[in-house]
Amino acid sequence: MKKIYPLLSVLFFIYWGCESNIKKKSIHENWKVESQLTKRINNVNFNFPENFSDLDRKESLIEETFVSIKEMGENIGIELKDTIYVRFVLTREDMKPLTNSKSMGMTYPHLKTCYVVLNDKIDTPLKHELTHLIVMLGWGYPHQTSIWMNEGLSTSQVNNCNGYSVSELYRYFLEKNKLIDINSLTSNFYGNSEMISYHQSGQIVRYLLENYSLEQFEELWKTGLDNFQIIYGKKFLSIIDEMENELQNNFPNIIDLDFDLFMDGCT
């Protein structure tokens, strides 16, 4: 009988080992590993999917990030003091679980993070999202009647859609009666056509920044459209008229735009 004990011990450890492996397998069942490459450069944490192998584009995006940060400091006077996170994902589907959206870019100032989809077919909206992030970290969230300023500022900073500037696009909208009603643009921004509302707002923002002070613009951002005349000394619609007259003089001929193609998005 004594010779049986070592055998029982061996069988016990074999059983225990098998049971342990089964439990481990059960614990990890339906789980998957998502590997990412992360690197902090100065005050920016970059995050790329591990399987994103285009090293040249990765370096280009990193360079674009710091160029955008510098331009924001020069153009808007906001110095980025926070440490921010820029996370790239491969597809819109990858964006969905992170942001509950399939948009090409999303920004969360309270997380100091922007998410951007990597897509070879259209421009990555990195500069657009970085502008959102940096301005909202500097000035806070815009007043509810200043949402058009938020999207307009980011659009104006990029100032390019299919090779056209916001000024050229606004002039086209004006000529073709495509402009969104100002009340709708300022009170229900996201209820309008994105391609028109973003570029229409981008031109208005550009005009305000080029012809009036940054301090006025920041105050309007924070306090809302009801204070426009107090801040600028003129009615909002009067300045819109000034801007449109200037555009008509500066751009007597409108661009040859394929409007249906334009409405599909910037490429």
Side-chain angles (χ1 to χ4, degrees):
M1 292 295 293
K2 291 182 180 180
K3 293 181 180 180
I4 295 176
Y5 293 148
L7 178 60
L8 290 174
S9 298
V10 171
L11 292 173
F12 171 76
F13 283 114
I14 292 173
Y15 170 78
W16 181 83
C18 291
E19 185 180 34
S20 177
N21 287 333
I22 291 171
K23 287 181 178 179
K24 287 180 180 179
K25 184 177 180 181
S26 176
I27 290 172
H28 294 288
E29 191 174 358
N30 297 325
W31 287 79
K32 64 179 180 179
V33 175
E34 292 186 355
S35 298
Q36 300 164 11
L37 299 175
T38 64
K39 183 177 183 179
R40 177 171 174 172
I41 304 175
N42 298 333
N43 59 336
V44 182
N45 288 286
F46 293 96
N47 186 308
F48 286 90
E50 185 182 28
N51 56 346
F52 181 67
S53 58
D54 190 338
L55 297 179
D56 290 339
R57 188 157 185 240
K58 184 183 297 180
E59 292 302 317
S60 175
L61 290 166
I62 291 172
E63 181 181 359
E64 183 181 347
T65 298
F66 289 108
V67 168
S68 299
I69 292 171
K70 181 181 178 182
E71 288 181 356
M72 286 300 298
E74 294 172 349
N75 298 341
I76 311 299
I78 299 178
E79 179 185 356
L80 178 63
K81 298 179 180 179
D82 298 85
T83 296
I84 64 173
Y85 299 81
V86 180
R87 181 168 181 177
F88 298 94
V89 298
L90 289 176
T91 66
R92 291 176 183 264
E93 286 68 29
D94 295 332
M95 181 75 92
K96 178 68 174 178
L98 296 172
T99 67
N100 197 34
S101 167
K102 289 187 178 181
S103 64
M104 287 294 295
M106 290 290 289
T107 298
Y108 295 95
H110 63 291
L111 300 176
K112 301 179 182 179
T113 301
C114 62
Y115 299 88
V116 181
V117 174
L118 295 162
N119 191 320
D120 292 332
K121 296 181 180 179
I122 62 177
D123 290 339
T124 298
L126 176 59
K127 188 173 186 178
H128 185 102
E129 298 304 329
L130 282 169
T131 301
H132 281 318
L133 184 58
I134 293 169
V135 174
M136 285 193 278
L137 287 175
W139 291 348
Y141 286 84
H143 188 273
Q144 62 181 358
T145 60
S146 300
I147 292 173
W148 65 274
M149 298 176 68
N150 191 11
E151 296 296 355
L153 181 57
S154 287
T155 304
S156 176
Q157 284 294 297
V158 176
N159 197 29
N160 179 35
C161 181
N162 303 336
Y164 299 117
S165 69
V166 292
S167 298
E168 290 173 307
L169 290 168
Y170 191 105
R171 178 70 180 90
Y172 176 90
F173 300 153
L174 177 62
E175 185 74 16
K176 299 295 184 178
N177 295 316
K178 301 288 188 182
L179 289 169
I180 297 166
D181 177 77
I182 287 295
N183 288 330
S184 180
L185 187 74
T186 55
S187 65
N188 184 32
F189 183 86
Y190 293 115
N192 296 290
S193 165
E194 179 178 302
M195 290 301 292
I196 297 177
S197 63
Y198 277 56
H199 294 95
Q200 181 175 341
S201 298
Q203 169 57 25
I204 299 172
V205 163
R206 194 168 190 82
Y207 186 81
L208 291 176
L209 290 174
E210 288 178 348
N211 293 276
Y212 299 90
S213 74
L214 181 62
E215 289 73 23
Q216 288 171 302
F217 188 85
E218 181 182 353
E219 187 175 354
L220 182 64
W221 172 286
K222 294 178 177 179
T223 64
L225 199 62
D226 287 344
N227 294 305
F228 189 94
Q229 189 167 352
I230 297 172
I231 297 168
Y232 284 89
K234 299 178 181 180
K235 293 182 178 180
F236 187 40
L237 291 179
S238 295
I239 287 184
I240 296 294
D241 287 340
E242 289 178 6
M243 179 192 72
E244 291 180 352
N245 288 331
E246 182 178 294
L247 282 173
Q248 287 174 323
N249 290 328
N250 292 341
F251 299 92
N253 300 314
I254 64 169
I255 57 177
D256 183 17
L257 181 69
D258 185 331
F259 186 74
D260 292 334
L261 184 62
F262 167 77
M263 293 298 286
D264 289 337
C266 302
T267 58

